Every structure is written in C-alpha cells, then in structure tokens.
Amino acid sequence: MVTENDVRDIAELADIGINTEELGPFTDQFNAILDYFDVLDRVQGEGSVIRDLSNVMREDVIELSLPQEEVLKNAAFQEDGFIRAPRVM
Amino acid sequence: MTDAQVIVGLEVHCQLDTQSKLFCGCSTDYRSDGPNTHVCPVCLGLPGSMPVLNKKAIEYAMRVAKALNCSVTDEAEFSRKNYFYPDLDKAYQITQYDKPLAKGGYVEIEADEGSGGKCVQITRIHVEEDPGRLVHMGNAERGRYSLVDYNRAGIPLIEIVSEPDMRSPKEARKFLNKLRATLEYLGVFDSEKEGSLRVDANISIAGSERVEVKNISSYKGVEKALTFEVTRQKNLLRRGRTVKRETRHFLEARGITQSARSKEQEHDYRYFPEPDLRPVNVQSWVAGIVLPELPDARRERFMAQYGCSANHARTLTGELRLANFYEHVVASGQKGLFTLAATWIADTLIGELNYRNMTIDTVQAAPFKKLLEHIQGDECTDKSGVEVLRVMLDTIKQGLPYETPLAILDRLNLRKVSVNITRPFAYGITLKSGVEPNPIMKALSEVLTEQPRAVEDFRKGKKEAFNFLIGHVMKKTRGRADPKELNRLLVEALKNREA
Amino acid sequence: MAAHETVFNPDDRYNAFLTVCRKAPHSDGKLAGIAVAVKDNISTQGIETTCASKILKGYIPPYDAHVVDLLKQSGAAIAGKTNMDEFGMGTTTENSAFGPTLNPCDTTRVPGGSSGGSAAAIAAGMVRMALGTDTGGSIRCPAAFCGIVGLKPTYGRVSRYGLIAYANSLEQIGPMAGTVSDVSLLMQVIAGYDRRDSTSYNKPYTHTPNPDIKGLTIGIPQEYFGAGVDPRVAEVTKRAIFRLEELGATALPCSIPSMEYALAAYYVTCTSEASSNLARFDGVRYGPAADTKKSWHDAYREVRRAGFGAEVRRRIMLGTFALSSGYYGKYYAKAQIARENVKKDFARIFSEVDVIAGPTMPTIAFKLGEKSDPLSMYLADILTVPVNLANIPAISVPCGKVDGMPVGLQIMGKPFEDERVVDVAFAYEQVAA
Ligand SMILES: [Zn+2]
C-alpha cells in the first residue's frame, strides 16, 4: 500500500511535478498497479541475465562532430556558443 | 586529541587520454576550441542516439588495473547513474556499478612515519563518462543562469577507488602523486591538461562519522581540503560536538569545505544496467598487456645507472616528464654530469619552474645541458648558473628569442673570474703589478682593509670570521668568484698579513 | 540522391499523421517512389520528431535514424510522421498529445497502439507501407485492430539508432503493410547490422516469402486461449490455425507458465527504463524551453509537468519507484529473473515446435475512451509482451473478423527466424485471400 505522501515522495525523486488534485487518483492507480506487480513475489530462479553479445566496441577513431549551429539549433537560448540553462547555484 | 587517528580514502577520477570520446567519435582535444564544437547526437544526448564503447578506453583502464595489481573481473557491465543536472546531457551518467572492470589492488607509497613504504589498497577501478561543463552567470539583481558546454561530455574517465588506508592529508597527497606518475608512465593520462583530474575524498577521525568531500580538482587541493577537514572535525570533537555524516563541497578559491544541500545528501541514483551496451569480458586480454617501466623501477634504475641519491631519484622519477628530461640531459654525457644534472634539476630547476608556474616541457634539454657543462667546465659558478637559468626560464616564459647560456653569461658579465696563479696574466694584470687589479684580488684586498675587526677575530681563532670575509668578497664580486679558489686566496692573504 | 519527387496529399481524416511531407524527394532503388510513413519516435533529419509529446514540440533532429537512412537509400519517399501514443506508452494511440488516431475500420474505435498512426495510414490506403515500433506489442496490436500486417523483428535485427528510446531492452523497429509480401520487402530494406547500435546483429534479411509450410509444427499455448481472451476472438484464431493445419502444419498444445507474471515483469522493466530515458527532456538542448529565470529543479519539474501527459508521468513515477533503493530487489531485479524465465519457457517450447501461434490481442479494437483505467489498459498487452521479453520475432496477420472488426493471428518464432514467421503468415494470407 502506498499513501499520497509516498506518491509525493516518488514524484519528488522523479522530479516530475505533480499537481495536488492528481495525487488522489495517482495513488489509487499506483496501488492497483503495485498490487498487480505483487505477482513477481512468486518468481523463482537465478538472477543473472544472459546476454549473448559481449565486447561490442569500436576502435578509437575520431569522427566528425556536428557543426556548432546544428548543436545550438534546437536550443531555446544560446549565448556565445553556449546553451543557456536555469541556474543551479 | 592531537593523536586522534585520521582516516582517509580517495576516489580519483582521471581523464583517459584517448583520441575520441568514450561512447562516440568526437575528438577529445577540445580545450582550445569554442563551446559545443566537439559534440554529436550521442554526447549531446539527442533523443535516439546510442553509445558505442571505445575499446582504447577499456585497454587503458586495463593497463592501469595491471599496474596497480588489480584483478580484471570476468564480466564487467555498464550501468546508468540517474540524476538530473543541466550538464548531464542524458540525465544519467553511464558508469560501472556492481560489475566494475577491476577489483582489489594496491599502491605502494612512503609512510609518513619512519622509513619504508606502506600499501594503500585499491578497492576497484571502473570506467565512466565525464559530464559537460557549467559556467555560472549573472548576479542576484539581474538574475542568475547557467551556460552549458558539452565538449567535455563523454570524455572517458577512469575512477580509482582506494580503501580508507591513508592516515594524513600528506599521505593522501603522496598516494595521488604516485597514482599520477603511474598513469602517466602508462601513457594513459596527461596530468597537464586542465581539469583532467577530480577527486572525492572520504575523511573521518577514528570513532567518528565519515565525511565525503566532493569535487576537488587539483593535486594541491586534495591536501588543502583534507587539512581543512581534519581541523574542522577535530575542532568539533574538541568542543564536545559530533561530526555529522554528510557530503561537503570543496571551495578551492576559499580553501574551505561547505555542506552540500539536502538534495545532494540523499542521492538515490537508481542504478540499473545500461540496456544499450553489452557486457565486457576482457579478462583474457590481461596476459597480453605489456607494462612499460613504472616509477618504482625507474627510480631503482636511476640510482643504479646514474648514481642518483635516493631522494633525487625519487623526485626525478616522480613525474614522467621530469624523468625523461633528466635522461635527455645526461644522454651521451659523462659520469660527472649524472650527479650534477640530478642536483640541478631536483634542487634548482623544479623550484624555479614552480616559482614561474611553468612546466618542464617548456624547457629544452640541450641548452640546459650546455649550462651544466659551463658549470662543470668552470666557466661559471653555481650562483651565476642559477642566474643564467633564471634568465633562460624568463626568456621562455616571455617568448623572447633564444639566447645561449654562454651569451647570457657574457651579457650579464657573469663569466667566472679566476685568479689563476699558474697563469698570472690570464686576466691581464695581477695585483702586484698594480695597474688594473683583478676584480677578485681587488675585492679581497678591499675587504681585508674594510673589515679589520673580522681579520682580528680570525686571528684570535674565530672560524665564523672567515666565512664573514668570504661573504663580503662574494658580495663585491656579485658571486663571480669561484668559492674554492677564493677560500684558498683568503687563507693565503690572511697568512701573509700575519707574516 | 534525391533524383525524383513524390507528391503526397493524403486525406488524413483519421489523424494518422502528425507531419505530412507533401513533396517527398526520393532516389532509385528497391522502394523507388513508394511513400513510406514513419512513426514519430523515429528520428528524421530536418523533419519534426515529437513522439506525439508536447515536450518535443518543435524538435528537428539533425540526423536520420539508421532505418531512415536505409529507406532513403532504397528510394523510398518519406511520406510523413505518424501519430502514436506519447513515447509509445499506450495500446490505443489515444495518449497522443495531438489527439487520437481513429480506426479506419470503425471511426468510433481506436486503431490500437502505440503505432496506431502507421496502421491507420496503411488501412486507409494513404500509404502502402510504414515503420512502426514494438515495445510490448505496439506494431502487432494496431496491425490486428486495423486489419493489416505487422512484424516485430528479433531484437537486434533492425538497428535502433535514431529510435527515441522508451524501453531499450524491449523495443524494435519493424515493418507494417497491407500484405505479408510488402512487410517482407520493407524488412529487406531495414534489417542488418549497424555499428552505431551495440545491440545490433549482423543478420540481414534477404528473404522472399514462401507459402510452403508442409511439416511445420505449431505450438498452441493454452494461455493464449484462456481467461481474459474474448471467446469469439479465440474462435476466429483457432479457425485460422486449422487452415494452417490444412496446409500441412501440425498444431501441438503447449504452455507458457511464466505468462503468470510476464505482464508484471514487462511493465516493471519498461517503466524503469522509461524513467531513465525520459529524464533528458529538460528544455535545455531541445524542446519547449525551460524557464531560465527559475532555479534548475523548479524549471525542470515545470517542463516535465507541462510537457508530459498523464500516462507518461505515471510510468515515469512507477519506474522511478521500481528502481529506487529499497524497492529495486522487489521490482526491477525480480522482473529480470521473470524475464529469463519467459525466455526459458520459449526456448523449451521451441525445442519441440517451429512456431507458436495465438491471437495477437485478446479482443477487437476498443471503443474510443473505453480503457480509461490504466491497469485494464495494461492487461490488454498480455498476449504481445512475452515476445518482447524473450526478444523473439512475431508477426500479426489478419485472420477474420468479430463484430465486423479485424482479428489478428500472431505467429511467434525462434530468435532470428523472422523469415519463418513471415512464411507462415504468408501461407495463411494466400489461403485466406
Ligand atoms: Zn560525440
């Protein structure tokens, strides 16, 4: 059982931005889905995932980068070749 | 309180010196280029792009693993470390979590106390990608924001994690220096490149909680940050308070650490295996790795081959470029040059370079060797040699045209002046002839006249008076006199006076 | 390269397209001049690519996905970008930020999802073929609901480079078309090794469908005909399998016990991967801008709150929870074990039979708005997700109707035996026609 507070914490960890009015329905849906996921408790077996491909690597060779204008093209704000982002400090 | 045990463990991140980035073909040679000029869909984290592992980065990391006596694991895997920051293009860092490339090695360093070495155990070695770079802009009034450059995003890093085996900030510094030297000898790391090293340090006082200091980005910074923490933590304990388990940031400019915000303290990174990459099974490559001569071996060789003192050998081999420089200088030189070069490089050149914030690769071996030969050939004194060296370094630093050491000697009028008794006319006229006195004899005779008390003291058996007189002669001749010869002349002159 | 131009002016009354390329250049080749629609989660250089999400509105990729490169090289004309459930998260194409796609067979019903736009564009005759992507049934479900053919290739057979990731370990790009032959033709073009996709295999597809299935053994898993499956759909599917037996195949009953938890394993895995994949949409490098007057976390949260639809945010939160410390072992790690068990079940069955057959979907296409509860929507994927968990190939081919709506026959094959499932579908198609 998760509570509205749990869902709020998960939303915080996910940095997803949740509205207060969404909290109730999200919590109900979460509980229904997590109840269904409980079937996994019955899973038996070994943990290791078998992957048949390994050592997929490339040689250390320089390839063409994108032109700077292509890099900046999709960015909303740019300044002297940099991309502008919200402050972190 | 003072003998409370300090416990330090380090996580060292070094940029691996590959040509291309860890997961894409963008060049790693970005430092002299504009922002966002070394990026592609992969390292910009564009939707739909996929990483492809650079084999060289794995090979480099394996060299390090072997050199640090680690065992390469039979299956390594890349994982995603999820956190959200504007310099992290994909909002996760591809790193290694529960299946690192190598585990369990050690590094030998000199212990603080007593002689001999100690082992710092290596917990693990893994490979990961560097994030981009953030520049903080604006101010409180006009608004703050960040500027992002993704050129650095995706540069391969090796992370070397030590056990908490170090007992002082100084030991941490030694460990770091040893690590740097080893990585450079292996040809996988260039410590001269700006920002090529970052360190996270765990530090505690025995019996107290552990503090993690993040983001130390220089060699000196590590010792500084740790020294600050030791003091801070000891002060807390002395005042009867407790040390909180927390993450702190090192503020290099202010030389202090500061508690990180609560969001960073929690960090639930939600690691899981990177589904776009396959496992790395490279244990079988280890046998094929041929290691070059490493710092310890080279130090032994310098002692055996060149007769370097233990201290000189350690200093010279502590940095790859320095060791190479030394060997360039003494190459095809005679035996006498070996010790002279060791002394001059280890005791003089390094200090002069540090003073000028210069690195050894700006200095050419040949002119330096010439200078040593002038000293060896009695054409200039040690003191003049230092002055010439300073001029040579200043010339390089200011980008002035090259001047031979001999030319500098002559220009500064520093060529050794000698009163060669066997060749009385070598410098023109001797004192006795009374026409143009040799400057040393002249200075000597002046000093004897000007310092009667010292002469008297000497006669009374005060040994210090002799050095006092020598000092004055040296001063008058601006150090051009050969000390050995001056000694002899002064002894003779004082004897004559007595007679 | 662009020697010719195709004029493309579809009557898109079903909202199948998000972007239409009215003048599509093309060159010569195997697909010369054929208008091919591309799902909007596949990157197209110079053409807006949104994954049907507001968070990517205006994003114009500076590069082509590998499959788009291959399409262009084969002479295809890129007709446009098709509608989908936002980031592929859905089974109806109702989760598009730009409005649902309607099912051309019955416009009161959904076309299935998440490649609903691609399926509808084909079913409505707007294009002959299209690319879809299949994470848990997203090609096969709309193929079944719209009465067309869709192939989910073996994982690794088609490069994912340029596919905007929803759940990397599960999804594949695959061909969709009106006929098995066209699906096979498109598969010839898009399959093959790509060094930019580390999970790519060097297994090109050069096959031409062969209807001879004499001696073929077909596994019929009881779970595909049991509870939760509309008996009418089960009946239509059984009849189709009987036709295959008439062609010389032998049907054998079998069981996939791991089906019990396959759907849970699927949803834990895909939401976990999605929570990580979708975190990069921060409004800094592309997409609607983050407010640079705010602090980073406030701006980031706001971009995601405003940019993602409810289902996407729900799945991001579920995945974040499944990966969080304390719950990783209960959810993510368990799901990976479950996944191995599904693979083992398939391997065991495939040691006795050549292919496995059953219905693609448990029901016919839902009414628009019918599946409002998330869990009931998830349960509709029960017959398609095992294939993704096991990384095997599967095709859906129309096999009859219920209530006038198409039903899909799903043929599942051994890893890298995409050719075999194509042949079986082709054999059925020939006798059904
Ligand atoms: Zn790149």
PDB file of all heavy atoms in Angstrom, chain B residues 31-54:
ATOM      1  N   ARG B  31      40.112  21.537 -25.699  1.00  0.00           N
ATOM      2  CA  ARG B  31      40.407  22.641 -24.795  1.00  0.00           C
ATOM      3  C   ARG B  31      40.644  23.990 -25.473  1.00  0.00           C
ATOM      4  O   ARG B  31      40.371  25.027 -24.888  1.00  0.00           O
ATOM      5  CB  ARG B  31      41.574  22.282 -23.881  1.00  0.00           C
ATOM      6  CG  ARG B  31      41.150  21.291 -22.801  1.00  0.00           C
ATOM      7  CD  ARG B  31      42.282  20.878 -21.910  1.00  0.00           C
ATOM      8  NE  ARG B  31      41.818  20.069 -20.795  1.00  0.00           N
ATOM      9  CZ  ARG B  31      41.478  18.786 -20.880  1.00  0.00           C
ATOM     10  NH1 ARG B  31      41.557  18.162 -22.052  1.00  0.00           N
ATOM     11  NH2 ARG B  31      41.038  18.121 -19.839  1.00  0.00           N
ATOM     12  N   SER B  32      41.149  23.957 -26.702  1.00  0.00           N
ATOM     13  CA  SER B  32      41.419  25.244 -27.344  1.00  0.00           C
ATOM     14  C   SER B  32      40.292  25.658 -28.284  1.00  0.00           C
ATOM     15  O   SER B  32      40.408  26.657 -28.979  1.00  0.00           O
ATOM     16  CB  SER B  32      42.747  25.169 -28.094  1.00  0.00           C
ATOM     17  OG  SER B  32      42.728  24.059 -28.949  1.00  0.00           O
ATOM     18  N   ASP B  33      39.197  24.885 -28.316  1.00  0.00           N
ATOM     19  CA  ASP B  33      38.113  25.210 -29.233  1.00  0.00           C
ATOM     20  C   ASP B  33      36.914  25.805 -28.505  1.00  0.00           C
ATOM     21  O   ASP B  33      36.792  25.697 -27.292  1.00  0.00           O
ATOM     22  CB  ASP B  33      37.692  23.970 -30.015  1.00  0.00           C
ATOM     23  CG  ASP B  33      38.805  23.496 -30.944  1.00  0.00           C
ATOM     24  OD1 ASP B  33      39.505  24.368 -31.494  1.00  0.00           O
ATOM     25  OD2 ASP B  33      38.984  22.279 -31.094  1.00  0.00           O
ATOM     26  N   GLY B  34      36.042  26.406 -29.286  1.00  0.00           N
ATOM     27  CA  GLY B  34      34.855  27.065 -28.734  1.00  0.00           C
ATOM     28  C   GLY B  34      33.895  26.062 -28.129  1.00  0.00           C
ATOM     29  O   GLY B  34      34.001  24.862 -28.351  1.00  0.00           O
ATOM     30  N   PRO B  35      32.927  26.575 -27.343  1.00  0.00           N
ATOM     31  CA  PRO B  35      31.974  25.674 -26.693  1.00  0.00           C
ATOM     32  C   PRO B  35      31.089  24.946 -27.702  1.00  0.00           C
ATOM     33  O   PRO B  35      30.800  25.482 -28.772  1.00  0.00           O
ATOM     34  CB  PRO B  35      31.132  26.615 -25.820  1.00  0.00           C
ATOM     35  CG  PRO B  35      31.303  27.968 -26.422  1.00  0.00           C
ATOM     36  CD  PRO B  35      32.673  27.989 -27.028  1.00  0.00           C
ATOM     37  N   ASN B  36      30.724  23.728 -27.354  1.00  0.00           N
ATOM     38  CA  ASN B  36      29.797  22.935 -28.164  1.00  0.00           C
ATOM     39  C   ASN B  36      30.254  22.731 -29.605  1.00  0.00           C
ATOM     40  O   ASN B  36      29.455  22.732 -30.527  1.00  0.00           O
ATOM     41  CB  ASN B  36      28.391  23.558 -28.114  1.00  0.00           C
ATOM     42  CG  ASN B  36      27.826  23.551 -26.704  1.00  0.00           C
ATOM     43  OD1 ASN B  36      27.813  22.508 -26.059  1.00  0.00           O
ATOM     44  ND2 ASN B  36      27.410  24.703 -26.205  1.00  0.00           N
ATOM     45  N   THR B  37      31.563  22.574 -29.780  1.00  0.00           N
ATOM     46  CA  THR B  37      32.109  22.292 -31.111  1.00  0.00           C
ATOM     47  C   THR B  37      32.592  20.852 -31.219  1.00  0.00           C
ATOM     48  O   THR B  37      32.975  20.412 -32.292  1.00  0.00           O
ATOM     49  CB  THR B  37      33.296  23.223 -31.415  1.00  0.00           C
ATOM     50  OG1 THR B  37      34.235  23.132 -30.341  1.00  0.00           O
ATOM     51  CG2 THR B  37      32.852  24.656 -31.566  1.00  0.00           C
ATOM     52  N   HIS B  38      32.618  20.136 -30.113  1.00  0.00           N
ATOM     53  CA  HIS B  38      33.047  18.735 -30.133  1.00  0.00           C
ATOM     54  C   HIS B  38      31.909  17.851 -29.648  1.00  0.00           C
ATOM     55  O   HIS B  38      32.072  17.088 -28.706  1.00  0.00           O
ATOM     56  CB  HIS B  38      34.290  18.533 -29.264  1.00  0.00           C
ATOM     57  CG  HIS B  38      35.527  19.139 -29.853  1.00  0.00           C
ATOM     58  ND1 HIS B  38      36.564  18.378 -30.317  1.00  0.00           N
ATOM     59  CD2 HIS B  38      35.863  20.421 -30.087  1.00  0.00           C
ATOM     60  CE1 HIS B  38      37.506  19.186 -30.794  1.00  0.00           C
ATOM     61  NE2 HIS B  38      37.100  20.433 -30.660  1.00  0.00           N
ATOM     62  N   VAL B  39      30.762  18.010 -30.244  1.00  0.00           N
ATOM     63  CA  VAL B  39      29.609  17.218 -29.817  1.00  0.00           C
ATOM     64  C   VAL B  39      28.856  16.655 -31.019  1.00  0.00           C
ATOM     65  O   VAL B  39      28.914  17.204 -32.119  1.00  0.00           O
ATOM     66  CB  VAL B  39      28.636  18.036 -28.924  1.00  0.00           C
ATOM     67  CG1 VAL B  39      29.253  18.325 -27.587  1.00  0.00           C
ATOM     68  CG2 VAL B  39      28.204  19.308 -29.604  1.00  0.00           C
ATOM     69  N   CYS B  40      28.193  15.550 -30.776  1.00  0.00           N
ATOM     70  CA  CYS B  40      27.407  14.866 -31.807  1.00  0.00           C
ATOM     71  C   CYS B  40      26.112  14.399 -31.136  1.00  0.00           C
ATOM     72  O   CYS B  40      25.938  14.599 -29.928  1.00  0.00           O
ATOM     73  CB  CYS B  40      28.207  13.696 -32.357  1.00  0.00           C
ATOM     74  SG  CYS B  40      28.379  12.341 -31.198  1.00  0.00           S
ATOM     75  N   PRO B  41      25.217  13.777 -31.883  1.00  0.00           N
ATOM     76  CA  PRO B  41      23.967  13.329 -31.247  1.00  0.00           C
ATOM     77  C   PRO B  41      24.205  12.482 -29.990  1.00  0.00           C
ATOM     78  O   PRO B  41      23.439  12.586 -29.028  1.00  0.00           O
ATOM     79  CB  PRO B  41      23.299  12.515 -32.358  1.00  0.00           C
ATOM     80  CG  PRO B  41      23.748  13.177 -33.622  1.00  0.00           C
ATOM     81  CD  PRO B  41      25.187  13.580 -33.356  1.00  0.00           C
ATOM     82  N   VAL B  42      25.266  11.687 -29.975  1.00  0.00           N
ATOM     83  CA  VAL B  42      25.486  10.792 -28.826  1.00  0.00           C
ATOM     84  C   VAL B  42      25.869  11.583 -27.584  1.00  0.00           C
ATOM     85  O   VAL B  42      25.238  11.458 -26.533  1.00  0.00           O
ATOM     86  CB  VAL B  42      26.574   9.741 -29.152  1.00  0.00           C
ATOM     87  CG1 VAL B  42      26.867   8.875 -27.930  1.00  0.00           C
ATOM     88  CG2 VAL B  42      26.148   8.882 -30.332  1.00  0.00           C
ATOM     89  N   CYS B  43      26.905  12.425 -27.684  1.00  0.00           N
ATOM     90  CA  CYS B  43      27.376  13.093 -26.466  1.00  0.00           C
ATOM     91  C   CYS B  43      26.554  14.333 -26.143  1.00  0.00           C
ATOM     92  O   CYS B  43      26.729  14.932 -25.086  1.00  0.00           O
ATOM     93  CB  CYS B  43      28.869  13.401 -26.548  1.00  0.00           C
ATOM     94  SG  CYS B  43      29.365  14.400 -27.931  1.00  0.00           S
ATOM     95  N   LEU B  44      25.646  14.704 -27.042  1.00  0.00           N
ATOM     96  CA  LEU B  44      24.709  15.785 -26.729  1.00  0.00           C
ATOM     97  C   LEU B  44      23.441  15.183 -26.122  1.00  0.00           C
ATOM     98  O   LEU B  44      22.549  15.898 -25.697  1.00  0.00           O
ATOM     99  CB  LEU B  44      24.386  16.566 -28.013  1.00  0.00           C
ATOM    100  CG  LEU B  44      23.621  17.884 -27.884  1.00  0.00           C
ATOM    101  CD1 LEU B  44      24.368  18.875 -27.008  1.00  0.00           C
ATOM    102  CD2 LEU B  44      23.355  18.483 -29.256  1.00  0.00           C
ATOM    103  N   GLY B  45      23.395  13.849 -26.088  1.00  0.00           N
ATOM    104  CA  GLY B  45      22.221  13.174 -25.533  1.00  0.00           C
ATOM    105  C   GLY B  45      20.985  13.415 -26.369  1.00  0.00           C
ATOM    106  O   GLY B  45      19.869  13.465 -25.846  1.00  0.00           O
ATOM    107  N   LEU B  46      21.152  13.571 -27.685  1.00  0.00           N
ATOM    108  CA  LEU B  46      19.965  13.772 -28.517  1.00  0.00           C
ATOM    109  C   LEU B  46      19.118  12.513 -28.468  1.00  0.00           C
ATOM    110  O   LEU B  46      19.636  11.401 -28.398  1.00  0.00           O
ATOM    111  CB  LEU B  46      20.362  14.087 -29.967  1.00  0.00           C
ATOM    112  CG  LEU B  46      20.885  15.496 -30.244  1.00  0.00           C
ATOM    113  CD1 LEU B  46      21.025  15.708 -31.747  1.00  0.00           C
ATOM    114  CD2 LEU B  46      19.957  16.560 -29.663  1.00  0.00           C
ATOM    115  N   PRO B  47      17.797  12.688 -28.499  1.00  0.00           N
ATOM    116  CA  PRO B  47      16.910  11.523 -28.461  1.00  0.00           C
ATOM    117  C   PRO B  47      17.266  10.550 -29.592  1.00  0.00           C
ATOM    118  O   PRO B  47      17.502  10.979 -30.721  1.00  0.00           O
ATOM    119  CB  PRO B  47      15.525  12.128 -28.705  1.00  0.00           C
ATOM    120  CG  PRO B  47      15.648  13.575 -28.386  1.00  0.00           C
ATOM    121  CD  PRO B  47      17.062  13.953 -28.620  1.00  0.00           C
ATOM    122  N   GLY B  48      17.305   9.276 -29.270  1.00  0.00           N
ATOM    123  CA  GLY B  48      17.545   8.253 -30.286  1.00  0.00           C
ATOM    124  C   GLY B  48      18.989   7.872 -30.484  1.00  0.00           C
ATOM    125  O   GLY B  48      19.286   6.855 -31.111  1.00  0.00           O
ATOM    126  N   SER B  49      19.929   8.664 -29.946  1.00  0.00           N
ATOM    127  CA  SER B  49      21.329   8.318 -30.143  1.00  0.00           C
ATOM    128  C   SER B  49      21.712   7.183 -29.202  1.00  0.00           C
ATOM    129  O   SER B  49      21.066   6.967 -28.179  1.00  0.00           O
ATOM    130  CB  SER B  49      22.216   9.533 -29.890  1.00  0.00           C
ATOM    131  OG  SER B  49      22.104   9.929 -28.537  1.00  0.00           O
ATOM    132  N   MET B  50      22.749   6.448 -29.566  1.00  0.00           N
ATOM    133  CA  MET B  50      23.151   5.285 -28.769  1.00  0.00           C
ATOM    134  C   MET B  50      24.660   5.255 -28.577  1.00  0.00           C
ATOM    135  O   MET B  50      25.411   5.619 -29.469  1.00  0.00           O
ATOM    136  CB  MET B  50      22.708   3.995 -29.459  1.00  0.00           C
ATOM    137  CG  MET B  50      21.199   3.875 -29.597  1.00  0.00           C
ATOM    138  SD  MET B  50      20.733   2.422 -30.553  1.00  0.00           S
ATOM    139  CE  MET B  50      21.036   1.133 -29.349  1.00  0.00           C
ATOM    140  N   PRO B  51      25.105   4.786 -27.413  1.00  0.00           N
ATOM    141  CA  PRO B  51      26.540   4.742 -27.125  1.00  0.00           C
ATOM    142  C   PRO B  51      27.219   3.524 -27.739  1.00  0.00           C
ATOM    143  O   PRO B  51      26.614   2.459 -27.822  1.00  0.00           O
ATOM    144  CB  PRO B  51      26.570   4.625 -25.594  1.00  0.00           C
ATOM    145  CG  PRO B  51      25.315   3.865 -25.266  1.00  0.00           C
ATOM    146  CD  PRO B  51      24.290   4.289 -26.282  1.00  0.00           C
ATOM    147  N   VAL B  52      28.446   3.703 -28.200  1.00  0.00           N
ATOM    148  CA  VAL B  52      29.270   2.560 -28.617  1.00  0.00           C
ATOM    149  C   VAL B  52      30.621   2.704 -27.912  1.00  0.00           C
ATOM    150  O   VAL B  52      31.290   3.729 -28.022  1.00  0.00           O
ATOM    151  CB  VAL B  52      29.468   2.506 -30.147  1.00  0.00           C
ATOM    152  CG1 VAL B  52      30.210   1.230 -30.529  1.00  0.00           C
ATOM    153  CG2 VAL B  52      28.143   2.569 -30.885  1.00  0.00           C
ATOM    154  N   LEU B  53      31.007   1.677 -27.195  1.00  0.00           N
ATOM    155  CA  LEU B  53      32.153   1.740 -26.295  1.00  0.00           C
ATOM    156  C   LEU B  53      33.489   1.832 -27.035  1.00  0.00           C
ATOM    157  O   LEU B  53      33.744   1.069 -27.968  1.00  0.00           O
ATOM    158  CB  LEU B  53      32.134   0.494 -25.400  1.00  0.00           C
ATOM    159  CG  LEU B  53      33.229   0.351 -24.351  1.00  0.00           C
ATOM    160  CD1 LEU B  53      33.213   1.522 -23.383  1.00  0.00           C
ATOM    161  CD2 LEU B  53      33.030  -0.964 -23.583  1.00  0.00           C
ATOM    162  N   ASN B  54      34.322   2.755 -26.588  1.00  0.00           N
ATOM    163  CA  ASN B  54      35.670   2.932 -27.132  1.00  0.00           C
ATOM    164  C   ASN B  54      36.599   1.859 -26.538  1.00  0.00           C
ATOM    165  O   ASN B  54      36.852   1.831 -25.336  1.00  0.00           O
ATOM    166  CB  ASN B  54      36.160   4.339 -26.760  1.00  0.00           C
ATOM    167  CG  ASN B  54      37.494   4.697 -27.379  1.00  0.00           C
ATOM    168  OD1 ASN B  54      38.261   3.816 -27.778  1.00  0.00           O
ATOM    169  ND2 ASN B  54      37.779   5.984 -27.460  1.00  0.00           N
TER     170      ASN B  54
END
